[in-house]
Amino acid sequence: MHIPPYDNANTPIVDVDHDLVPLNYFNIVRLAAGQSFDYAVPGYETCVVPATGTVTVEVAGETYADIGNRVIDVWDGEPEGVYIPTGAGARITCQTDTAEVFIAGAKYDGVLKPFAVRAAELDLVQYGSDDTKTHRKIKHILGGNHHDRVGRLLVSELYTVGQGGWSGFPSHKHDTDRLPDETRHDETYNFRFRPDYGSGLQMLQREDNKPGDAYHIVDGSTILIDKGYHPCAVLPGYEMYYFTILGGLSQRSLKQYFQPTHADQLHTIPGIMDMVAKFK
């Protein structure tokens, strides 16, 4: 499902128990200097990540100041975030002239402790190649480095390296719990392009070797992945970024099932198995 960009007025773009991705929660909050936003999401653990701007986050008696250091756009520095326990009340206060803040969530009934993720604590991986048109970088905010401190939520930022090319390839899915081959993880993306008038394509193929759906994605598009194989591409001459939320049904670690038709491509893309291993 494609949700075109719109002014969500600080209300959830993907609310609790969504029809397609009930394991996910997603909001974009825009604030001016000194403004605050209070929220709590019963039944969901969340993560506050400034796309741009700097914020203070207060939760469970803790205060995390100076979260976020990007000014121009999501390419302008490294991400930072704060983990918010399930159902906890949190306050986000803008420290800069403006801030745009992502709130990512996953359904989870346990209650853990809050913590901040600073730029030095990111889990980074770069894989693919220019020759295979798959060169990209992933910045895990809640990834393997914080596995024991989070319930079901994985939060990452994905960047194409260079201009043009494919991401999420070889095509894979994660819509059915059938370990050890696959896990059920609902997934939500929010896309950005540089320059911002760039665009791309999100494919969603429900069954191997049968026609699927394709969505024209633009700056600010949100994509919901409930089932099927889902590679995406950016037009030549543009860079693509997407904020990624994964929520697991029975476990946090993601087990991808690669589309049989294209599985041999796993052997042609440098570093891809290192990428797969990071989603824990």
Side-chain angles (χ1 to χ4, degrees), residues 10-192:
N10 294 352
T11 60
I13 294 171
V14 179
D15 211 342
V16 301
D17 296 320
H18 190 279
D19 289 345
L20 287 181
V21 287
L23 303 179
N24 288 171
Y25 174 89
F26 178 51
N27 196 359
I28 299 178
V29 174
R30 297 173 177 87
L31 300 171
Q35 285 186 329
S36 294
F37 178 79
D38 296 321
Y39 82 95
V41 189
Y44 289 72
E45 58 185 347
T46 59
C47 184
V48 173
V49 179
T52 55
T54 302
V55 300
T56 295
V57 180
E58 300 170 76
V59 56
E62 302 289 340
T63 299
Y64 304 98
D66 303 321
I67 300 294
N69 52 49
R70 299 184 288 206
V71 177
I72 300 171
D73 56 26
V74 293
W75 283 269
D76 185 27
E78 303 293 354
E80 294 188 327
V82 175
Y83 173 79
I84 308 297
T86 302
R91 169 168 289 187
I92 305 167
T93 303
C94 180
Q95 296 179 221
T96 44
D97 288 344
T98 60
E100 181 184 20
V101 183
F102 297 137
I103 303 177
K107 184 174 285 191
Y108 182 60
D109 57 8
V111 179
L112 304 174
K113 294 181 179 180
F115 61 89
V117 180
R118 300 292 183 174
E121 300 169 296
L122 299 173
D123 197 2
L124 306 176
V125 60
Q126 188 163 329
Y127 79 96
S129 67
D130 294 336
D131 289 342
T132 59
K133 307 296 188 293
T134 59
H135 204 177
R136 68 175 183 165
K137 180 183 294 184
I138 306 176
K139 301 178 180 182
H140 292 281
I141 301 162
L142 294 183
N145 286 352
H146 302 95
H147 182 70
D148 294 333
R149 305 175 71 181
V150 184
R152 295 284 186 270
L153 179 61
L154 292 156
V155 179
S156 306
E157 295 189 335
L158 290 81
Y159 297 78
T160 57
V161 177
Q163 297 180 327
W166 286 87
S167 190
F169 188 83
S171 308
H172 61 273
K173 72 182 187 76
H174 39 74
D175 56 35
T176 307
D177 252 6
R178 51 186 191 97
L179 291 167
D181 297 319
E182 183 181 359
T183 56
R184 157 80 185 276
H185 276 73
D186 292 351
E187 189 163 27
T188 297
Y189 301 146
N190 186 263
F191 287 90
R192 303 297 163 96

Side-chain angles (χ1 to χ4, degrees), residues 181-231:
D181 297 319
E182 183 181 359
T183 56
R184 157 80 185 276
H185 276 73
D186 292 351
E187 189 163 27
T188 297
Y189 301 146
N190 186 263
F191 287 90
R192 303 297 163 96
F193 294 88
R194 186 164 71 167
D196 63 7
Y197 48 83
S199 65
L201 174 74
Q202 174 72 61
M203 293 174 59
L204 186 56
Q205 190 175 9
R206 304 292 183 173
E207 297 182 52
D208 192 17
N209 291 323
K210 292 188 177 181
D213 300 315
Y215 305 100
H216 180 207
I217 49 176
V218 298
D219 195 73
S221 285
T222 298
I223 289 284
L224 312 184
I225 305 292
D226 59 333
K227 62 183 295 186
Y229 306 100
H230 47 277

